[in-house]
Amino acid sequence: MSIHAKKASDFISNEERTNWHDGALWHVRNKRDISASKIPEWELLRSTASQIKENVLSNLDNYLIQFEEEAKKNGVHVHWAANDDEHNSIVSAILNKHNAKKVVKSKSMLTEECGLNHFLEDQGIEIIDTDLGERIIQLRDEPPSHIVLPAIHIKKEEVGELFHAKLGTEKGNADPTYLTRAARTHLNHKFFEADAAITGVNFAIAETGGIVICTNEGNADMGCHSAPVHIHCMGLEKLLPKAEHLGVFIRLLARSATGQPSTIYTSHYHKPESGKEMHIVIVDNGRSEQLGKEDFRNSLKCIRCGACMNTCPIYRRSGGHSYHATIPGPIGAILQPNRNLQEYSDLPFASTLCGSCSDVCPVKINIHEQLYKWRQEIYKHNELPKSKIIPLKVTTNILASSTMYNIMGKLARTSLKLLPDFLLYNKLNTWGKNRELPAPPKESFKEWYKKNKHE
Amino acid sequence: MNYTVGLFIPCYIDQFFPEVGKATLELLEKNGCKVIYPEEQTCCGQPMANTGMEEVGKKIYQSMGELFKGCDYIVGPSPSCVYHITKHYDVVEQTPEIKHLRAHTYDLVEFLYDILHIEKLEVSFPYRVGLHKGCHGLRGMQLDNPSELMKDIPSKWGHVLGLVKDIQMTELTRTDECCGFGGTFAVAEEAVSTKMGRDRIADHVNNNVEVITSGDMSCLMHLKGIIDRQKSNLKVMHIANILNGDHI
Ligand code: SF4
């Protein structure tokens, strides 16, 4: 069994919890539908966004240079990191320069991808995730299970227990308002003590050198406004050519993510306040390689809204951790194999290719088609398990010969009184664990046709 | 209007569900088509390709082109297999036969709607029916409006079922969620696959459906496998059988 299949099966073994997880995410998908349906030009927005990103990917070098120039003019320090190690070293050098020991960080999948938290912790730096969901999983010492709703796999009762143990809230109190207030008080102390703030970046504007951060909790702003140094970490694909393009994406992002018209805070950062320092770290970490792969490059259009996860019938029932990757779900399944084909060769198979992800995606990434293409790559690179290859090779040889096919089918249906397992692709017992087999008909269509229609 | 139609019967329908093949053939003939059935056909190659073994399955593609080269149209009762031919046969040499095949292969309902413009059916089906919109037909071929898209794509399935007398079409809570079959996914990810299937069935049951229908028998085979295990009396029937006036 593949890693995903195994982890998914473990997750599903608690069916009640699976139903709860599925229902919670389906609810978010529904809110997205309602919100999108109120925008008559929704589909036009999607194609416009997709085309703007197409332009960005085709001219990425120029936009990056332009962005750096403009940001520097604004008095921002710009750094380039080829990979995760470089990213972490750059961030830690900035922190060391300022002797920063206490750091607050708002949501950033990029720093997650680079393993920044553990890197800094090993150097004795306290790094606190300030997004409520992220703080919950940080206190549990777990990775996020979703890119927008990192703690979606945890029930409020479990948060109550966690906060009781870690933050001293009342035992047995799982009231969301009470718990949120407790977290807010706890985090406010962290904001006031912070020596530096780190944030992710939603959009970076080449024309202005500014960046945009979208949050619902205002935690990115709390950090940046209270600390003397703020560092913004971004993947190099986050660019938009002009400020005027932002509207298209802001209208799509929150509606796709949660059904909100926009996030509560859409904050634009252009330059540091006087006496402060602002840094931007631009990270490649495999992105330029993905850009060079024609079939897969437009996965870099992703704006990390999470809609493909909410809609994915597999993700909803297998949980984000079953993808054993920083970015889970459909988009993770097309991004992760680029990073390590061997390690993530199971992910493109964690899909029925139903295509819901592609239709929900606000930047129209053809996710399910890329899953199909990754499957072909995985076979070509010999990363397909033998348990899949051998039966299908046998099957192909049978199917390539009409005579063989007829004989095998007949043997299976009549003599053996079993259904042809070459059509069931695998051992019958896996199919039959939770399902019956169809009753074998006495003759195939072809046999019937020969008897009845052959003149 | 007297089209010569090549009947394409996918392998699993040939072997497991011959009645779907018969209904397709009869429907096409009733509607004035001259139907030929090239008997050497086996499979479209989708099971291999979806598992990443397109390279291996490819040898079947060219022979499909050869088999159907004289037909005006090629029609099969399976959006999933039709989608595979039209969409994924781009990886072999585009001979005139392959080009013709890819441009003229239709799913049965798509053919009835797009080419024959069917407006009348003299059949009755007095049951509460739930439509399972198979994903390849829905999102790949847009035989209906996918719930994710804010568009107004007409429902070809809805149109043809609407011509059947006494049928009661039933709204589902989740109108177009995948059933979890997915070819080799059904066994490679058995736990998720069957959970998805159980959830789909529960939706039909909760909305008082008596018969689940679909354009894709593979989805129905998976769902029926679970229904039978649950010993429920919910029925499944391919859309071709309903349109052909067959009885449960
Ligand atoms: S792939 Fe599309 S739907 Fe998925 S997170 Fe990215 S932008 Fe959102």
Side-chain angles (χ1 to χ4, degrees):
Chain A
M1 223 191 282
S2 76
I3 303 177
H4 181 273
K6 171 82 182 72
K7 285 178 178 277
S9 157
D10 292 347
F11 190 80
I12 290 174
S13 65
N14 185 342
E15 189 148 0
E16 195 194 313
R17 197 182 180 94
T18 308
N19 292 342
W20 165 78
H21 188 261
D22 167 67
L25 287 158
W26 183 257
H27 178 67
V28 182
R29 154 78 208 270
N30 259 333
K31 289 206 291 189
R32 171 264 175 207
D33 290 353
I34 293 167
S35 171
S37 70
K38 290 188 186 141
I39 308 291
E41 67 275 28
W42 181 257
E43 297 300 334
L44 178 64
L45 274 178
R46 286 178 73 226
S47 26
T48 309
S50 188
Q51 285 164 26
I52 294 170
K53 282 286 185 182
E54 192 78 42
N55 174 286
V56 169
L57 295 180
S58 308
N59 300 286
L60 195 53
D61 47 350
N62 294 329
Y63 287 134
L64 282 167
I65 293 166
Q66 188 189 4
F67 175 73
E68 182 188 33
E69 276 171 16
E70 295 304 322
K72 279 183 170 165
K73 275 190 219 159
N74 295 336
V76 177
H77 301 266
V78 179
H79 312 259
W80 299 86
N83 53 38
D84 44 2
D85 288 344
E86 278 189 33
H87 164 266
N88 294 347
S89 310
I90 290 167
V91 173
S92 110
I94 302 168
L95 296 178
N96 286 337
K97 188 181 122 197
H98 291 271
N99 198 25
K101 291 287 173 219
K102 290 175 183 280
V103 179
V104 287
K105 179 164 75 73
S106 72
K107 228 168 140 319
S108 153
M109 289 315 293
L110 176 70
T111 57
E112 196 68 42
E113 170 187 326
C114 295
L116 181 69
N117 281 19
H118 287 138
F119 181 85
L120 294 180
E121 279 161 2
D122 288 348
Q123 299 181 10
I125 294 174
E126 178 194 78
I127 178 153
I128 302 290
D129 282 317
T130 57
D131 172 273
L132 177 58
E134 295 248 298
R135 186 66 185 134
I136 292 170
I137 55 162
Q138 189 181 32
L139 289 172
R140 283 169 62 107
D141 197 19
E142 254 182 7
S145 71
H146 187 289
I147 60 174
V148 173
L149 313 160
I152 188 71
H153 59 292
I154 302 164
K155 294 190 172 185
K156 61 179 195 286
E157 292 75 19
E158 292 166 310
V159 176
E161 280 166 38
L162 179 76
F163 280 13
H164 171 67
K166 304 274 181 173
L167 305 181
T169 56
E170 284 165 33
K171 195 169 172 53
N173 195 335
D175 175 56
T177 310
Y178 169 73
L179 294 175
T180 308
R181 286 205 176 125
R184 179 54 84 197
T185 310
H186 158 72
L187 287 170
N188 279 346
H189 288 296
K190 299 293 177 189
F191 286 127
F192 295 138
E193 291 170 4
D195 303 317
I198 299 175
T199 78
V201 171
N202 290 92
F203 305 101
I205 316 293
E207 174 191 49
T208 64
I211 56 158
V212 179
I213 305 169
C214 305
T215 70
N216 274 332
E217 298 167 28
N219 54 316
D221 308 305
M222 289 284 280
C224 292
H225 293 318
S226 46
V229 190
H230 42 114
I231 308 169
H232 309 280
C233 305
M234 59 177 263
L236 51 73
E237 79 283 16
K238 293 285 168 189
L239 284 171
L240 295 181
K242 295 183 174 175
E244 71 187 50
H245 298 136
L246 200 53
V248 175
F249 291 88
I250 297 297
R251 293 184 77 195
L252 286 166
L253 177 63
R255 286 187 173 89
S256 299
T258 57
Q260 295 166 272
S262 70
T263 44
I264 308 288
Y265 300 88
T266 301
S267 306
H268 303 250
Y269 289 85
H270 287 103
K271 54 176 72 163
E273 278 174 57
S274 68
K276 286 194 177 190
E277 258 182 43
M278 173 170 166
H279 295 260
I280 295 174
V281 188
I282 303 172
V283 185
D284 182 341
N285 207 28
R287 287 165 175 77
S288 54
E289 203 186 315
Q290 184 95 333
L291 187 66
K293 294 177 181 156
E294 205 187 325
D295 287 338
F296 304 112
R297 70 196 291 259
N298 79 12
S299 58
L300 294 171
K301 292 180 179 178
C302 176
I303 57 171
R304 303 286 191 269
C305 71
C308 57
M309 289 158 212
N310 306 339
T311 202
C312 178
I314 286 100
Y315 175 93
R316 276 187 268 109
R317 290 173 182 82
S318 70
H321 290 152
S322 65
Y323 294 81
H324 58 100
T326 311
I327 311 268
I331 180 65
I334 59 173
L335 289 174
Q336 298 292 152
N338 180 57
R339 310 184 62 75
N340 186 332
L341 190 63
Q342 198 172 16
E343 192 176 343
Y344 298 115
S345 67
D346 57 330
L347 297 187
F349 292 95
S351 164
T352 56
L353 305 179
C354 79
S356 182
C357 46
S358 305
D359 279 353
V360 89
C361 176
V363 288
K364 297 185 84 163
I365 301 171
N366 56 338
I367 305 173
H368 73 294
E369 290 173 8
Q370 294 193 35
L371 290 169
Y372 178 87
K373 297 244 164 150
W374 272 118
R375 294 180 182 190
Q376 315 306 325
E377 291 295 311
I378 287 161
Y379 175 67
K380 281 184 208 152
H381 288 86
N382 288 320
E383 296 295 348
L384 207 60
K386 294 271 176 296
S387 60
K388 272 188 175 140
I389 294 179
I390 295 168
L392 280 167
K393 276 204 167 153
V394 173
T395 304
T396 312
N397 289 332
I398 295 169
L399 294 173
S401 148
S402 186
T403 324
M404 274 286 277
Y405 164 86
N406 293 339
I407 293 172
M408 291 298 289
K410 189 167 179 67
L411 265 179
R413 268 180 297 104
T414 56
S415 323
L416 304 177
K417 282 290 174 218
L418 274 175
L419 280 158
D421 54 346
F422 68 84
L423 291 173
L424 287 175
Y425 322 127
N426 205 323
K427 293 214 170 58
L428 294 173
N429 57 6
T430 315
W431 173 273
K433 223 173 129 190
N434 287 294
R435 275 170 297 218
E436 299 299 331
L437 285 161
K442 65 179 196 308
E443 56 189 6
S444 69
F445 174 77
K446 203 174 281 187
E447 287 166 341
W448 172 85
Y449 186 86
K450 271 200 171 79
K451 272 191 227 158
N452 295 280
K453 288 281 173 176
H454 238 252
E455 276 94 308
Chain B
M1 273 294 280
N2 282 330
Y3 299 120
T4 300
V5 171
L7 182 61
F8 162 48
I9 299 297
C11 56
Y12 67 97
I13 291 186
D14 174 42
Q15 294 291 336
F16 301 170
F17 307 103
E19 69 282 2
V20 177
K22 290 177 217 170
T24 306
L25 172 64
E26 286 169 20
L27 259 172
L28 290 169
E29 287 181 339
K30 271 192 251 177
N31 283 283
C33 300
K34 178 176 180 296
V35 182
I36 58 165
Y37 174 63
E39 288 177 44
E40 303 86 80
Q41 61 180 285
T42 59
C43 168
C44 65
Q46 182 179 194
M48 299 89 207
N50 278 0
T51 312
M53 295 170 66
E54 187 174 70
E55 272 311 302
V56 179
K58 254 156 90 168
K59 52 181 153 181
I60 299 171
Y61 298 5
Q62 292 293 4
S63 67
M64 286 288 285
E66 277 302 311
L67 282 175
F68 289 105
K69 65 181 172 191
C71 308
D72 297 327
Y73 291 98
I74 299 91
V75 177
S78 165
S80 184
C81 304
V82 166
Y83 177 72
H84 187 69
I85 292 171
T86 54
K87 167 93 188 165
H88 291 305
Y89 278 27
D90 59 339
V91 292
V92 290
E93 194 196 333
Q94 298 299 293
T95 59
E97 291 76 24
I98 287 288
K99 276 194 200 152
H100 178 78
L101 179 75
R102 291 183 63 201
H104 295 89
T105 301
Y106 281 73
D107 165 63
L108 173 67
V109 169
E110 186 187 31
F111 184 72
L112 294 175
Y113 185 96
D114 285 0
I115 306 298
L116 298 184
H117 307 293
I118 193 164
E119 290 299 345
K120 232 172 117 164
L121 278 171
E122 294 301 336
V123 296
S124 155
F125 196 72
Y127 299 96
R128 287 190 301 276
V129 173
L131 172 64
H132 174 68
K133 302 176 183 179
C135 300
H136 288 154
L138 175 67
R139 302 194 186 83
M141 297 162 68
Q142 301 201 333
L143 301 183
D144 202 330
N145 194 83
S147 61
E148 299 85 8
L149 295 183
M150 301 302 143
K151 291 188 180 172
D152 248 330
I153 300 166
S155 172
K156 297 179 186 180
W157 289 311
H159 174 80
V160 294
L161 287 168
L163 303 175
V164 175
K165 296 183 182 63
D166 313 313
I167 197 166
Q168 288 170 261
M169 294 307 296
T170 310
E171 281 288 313
L172 299 170
T173 308
R174 298 188 186 183
T175 56
D176 56 10
E177 195 173 38
C178 176
C179 68
F181 173 65
T184 48
F185 178 88
V187 285
E189 290 265 7
E190 191 272 343
V192 189
S193 172
T194 50
K195 173 66 180 144
M196 287 166 72
R198 286 198 296 280
D199 289 354
R200 272 307 61 233
I201 290 163
D203 194 355
H204 287 270
V205 170
N206 294 339
N207 287 290
N208 295 315
V209 165
E210 292 171 295
V211 183
I212 305 179
T213 192
S214 175
D216 262 311
M217 203 59 216
S218 50
C219 305
L220 293 179
M221 170 174 79
H222 160 71
L223 292 174
K224 181 160 184 346
I226 298 169
I227 291 168
D228 288 352
R229 179 61 56 93
Q230 291 173 340
K231 309 220 181 311
S232 145
N233 49 16
L234 190 62
K235 300 275 186 288
V236 305
M237 195 179 222
H238 191 277
I239 196 166
N241 296 101
I242 296 184
L243 301 180
N244 194 43
D246 297 347
H247 297 291
I248 287 185

